Amino acid sequence: MTEITAHHGLFRSTNLHVDDTGGAGRPVVLIHGWPLSGESWSEQVPALTAAGYRVVTYDRRGFGRSDKPGSGYDYDTLTEDLHTLLTELDLQDVTLVGFSMGGGEVARYATKYGSERVRSVVFAAAVPPYLMKSDDNPDGPLDQEAADGMESGLKQDEDAFYDQFTTAFFSADGELKVTEEQRQQAIALAHQADTNAALKCMEAFATTDFRDDLPHVTVPTLVIHGDADGTVPFEGSGKRTHEAVAGSELHVVQGGPHGLNVSHADEFNRVLIDFLGR
């Protein structure tokens, strides 16, 4: 692991754990998925640092090593946390990389705060434009029955739920694409999450509509997604995001599951670093 410097106490009401490699390189902020933490970017931080970038990761409120308040798990608040991070560290010319749930913060950031600090963005296996299937969103890949099943599963037995969830997270066509050690590491990160925060964020990423946010994304954009993603299926998410963001680039990882930044780390890093270099 690359040596990193942790920053604490950036927020008056909620302290978020931030890891910052520092240095003079252009900043890349990595926004993790549900229900993990900034540590889930362990395959990306060394590669990006070696390529000369300043890499910043943080744990979303309620997850990892951050404070776990009782509220604030809507995307407007979560995006405000991200903006506070950028302003407190005075990050300019930033690339925001949002994985899965983190893609929601990237989309909402464009609407709420514009592109003054942002050079480019990446949607990685991300939830936009709108997961929940409904009459006005027939292509949404998540139906109410599946959403209810996730909620009840987490409430009834966290151990069993996270075991099943991480297996699906890293599997393509029923085959686990990471080592068992890597899957166990993800389970350990999931268990750092506050249960209330996990449930509230589950609701947020399932039911938040980002269709009006995506046209506000006007900076260079990369969409990277696995074609075997069973958690956030490509057809209903990455493909639609690519179509909604004018001029965006699309890279589809063949055989990539949801957790493609781990299962296909070399390809993911190569494509990301190539995009950053342009």
Side-chain angles (χ1 to χ4, degrees), residues 23-207:
R26 205 168 72 234
V28 180
V29 176
L30 304 176
I31 309 164
H32 68 83
W34 184 96
L36 306 176
S37 75
E39 290 186 86
S40 62
W41 292 107
S42 61
E43 297 292 332
Q44 281 65 58
V45 173
L48 290 169
T49 304
Y53 295 97
R54 175 183 177 181
V55 187
V56 179
T57 64
Y58 69 100
D59 298 349
R60 185 181 285 108
R61 64 166 61 207
F63 296 82
R65 297 149 291 182
S66 289
D67 285 356
K68 298 172 171 62
S71 62
Y73 299 107
D74 59 283
Y75 267 102
D76 283 348
T77 303
L78 297 173
T79 305
E80 184 179 356
D81 286 349
L82 171 60
H83 184 61
T84 302
L85 169 67
L86 298 190
T87 56
E88 290 293 324
L89 294 181
D90 194 23
L91 300 179
Q92 306 283 348
D93 205 25
V94 178
T95 296
L96 300 176
V97 182
F99 174 80
S100 192
M101 179 181 181
E105 278 108 323
V106 172
R108 185 56 51 85
Y109 193 94
T111 299
K112 287 177 64 71
Y113 302 106
S115 59
E116 180 181 356
R117 292 180 178 271
V118 180
R119 175 191 181 97
S120 57
V121 300
V122 179
F123 293 95
V127 299
Y130 187 14
L131 280 189
M132 186 64 71
K133 184 187 295 291
S134 62
D135 290 343
D136 76 334
N137 187 44
D139 295 323
L142 179 68
D143 61 36
Q144 191 63 55
E145 182 180 0
D148 291 344
M150 287 181 64
E151 180 182 4
S152 62
L154 181 56
K155 285 180 176 178
Q156 291 171 13
D157 189 335
E158 282 192 18
D159 290 343
F161 176 84
Y162 285 138
D163 182 66
Q164 179 277 328
F165 181 81
T166 54
T167 299
F169 191 97
F170 291 120
S171 291
D173 301 319
E175 180 183 352
L176 190 66
K177 295 296 184 178
V178 299
T179 66
E180 179 60 18
E181 180 182 4
Q182 288 172 317
R183 191 181 77 88
Q184 290 297 328
Q185 289 170 349
I187 291 175
L189 295 184
H191 278 294
Q192 294 179 15
D194 174 75
T195 302
N196 173 66
L199 288 166
K200 292 295 187 183
C201 283
M202 181 189 292
E203 178 183 4
F205 73 68
T207 63

Side-chain angles (χ1 to χ4, degrees), residues 206-224:
T207 63
T208 302
D209 185 350
F210 299 104
R211 289 176 293 182
D212 289 340
D213 295 297
L214 291 177
H216 291 274
V217 179
T218 58
V219 296
T221 300
L222 169 67
V223 177
I224 182 169

Side-chain angles (χ1 to χ4, degrees), residues 6-18 67 84 88:
H7 297 268
H8 298 276
L10 297 179
F11 303 86
R12 282 189 291 273
S13 59
T14 301
N15 292 327
L16 299 192
H17 180 90
V18 179
D67 285 356
T84 302
E88 290 293 324

